[in-house]
Amino acid sequence: MYPDNLRYTKDHEWVSVKEATGTIGVTHFAQKELGDVVFVELPEVGKKLKTGDEFGTIESVKAVSEVYAPVTGEVVEVNGALVDHPEIVNEDPYGRGWILKVRMDSPSEAAALMDARGYQAFLAGQKH
């Protein structure tokens, strides 16, 4: 449910790091809490993001949720498929449901985020 090769934030985003590129999406927990996703606001390619910056929103039948950058960098690609098919976030949050890719200023920044085990412990602590 939480792939070991990803890093996670307390805001329920994940990042996959390949060389200097970070692919970002929301976790299974986030999409499940939101319910059926009906709209995803994507940032502009070329936009500079700092860690913690809001870069878009995800709207579901239950709520609207902001999405935050887990790492600092420049947006180099967005998942245009989400414009016509936002439900992909629910169907495949770690695969086809990715939201954007950034060229990270410091790839080591992702190492400071939680690993899968740490994220699951964080979630367990949230239930109390």
Side-chain angles (χ1 to χ4, degrees):
M1 189 174 305
Y2 301 102
D4 288 332
N5 63 328
L6 305 178
R7 305 302 282 191
Y8 301 88
T9 72
K10 291 180 179 178
D11 294 317
H12 311 290
E13 289 88 15
W14 58 262
V15 59
S16 168
V17 177
K18 186 174 181 182
E19 298 176 5
T21 302
T23 302
I24 297 167
V26 296
T27 66
H28 170 74
F29 175 84
Q31 66 82 23
K32 187 177 172 191
E33 288 294 304
L34 282 165
D36 294 337
V37 173
V38 295
F39 177 76
V40 179
E41 177 188 26
L42 300 170
E44 296 287 323
V45 171
K47 182 176 183 171
K48 291 287 287 177
L49 299 172
K50 292 182 184 171
T51 301
D53 282 355
E54 178 184 324
F55 66 75
T57 57
I58 296 180
E59 186 176 334
S60 72
V61 293
K62 291 169 48 177
V64 176
S65 181
E66 290 79 25
V67 191
Y68 302 96
V71 292
T72 298
E74 179 180 345
V75 177
V76 293
E77 186 177 352
V78 296
N79 187 353
L82 298 179
V83 173
D84 293 328
H85 301 284
E87 69 278 4
I88 295 172
V89 172
N90 295 115
E91 296 168 359
D92 191 12
Y94 302 114
R96 295 179 303 119
W98 64 275
I99 298 172
L100 65 125
K101 295 183 180 186
V102 296
R103 182 177 14 227
M104 298 183 293
D105 288 356
S106 175
S108 63
E109 192 177 15
L113 300 173
M114 291 179 279
D115 61 14
R117 210 155 113 196
Y119 182 66
Q120 289 177 72
F122 169 74
L123 290 177
Q126 296 293 300
K127 293 179 182 173
H128 298 289

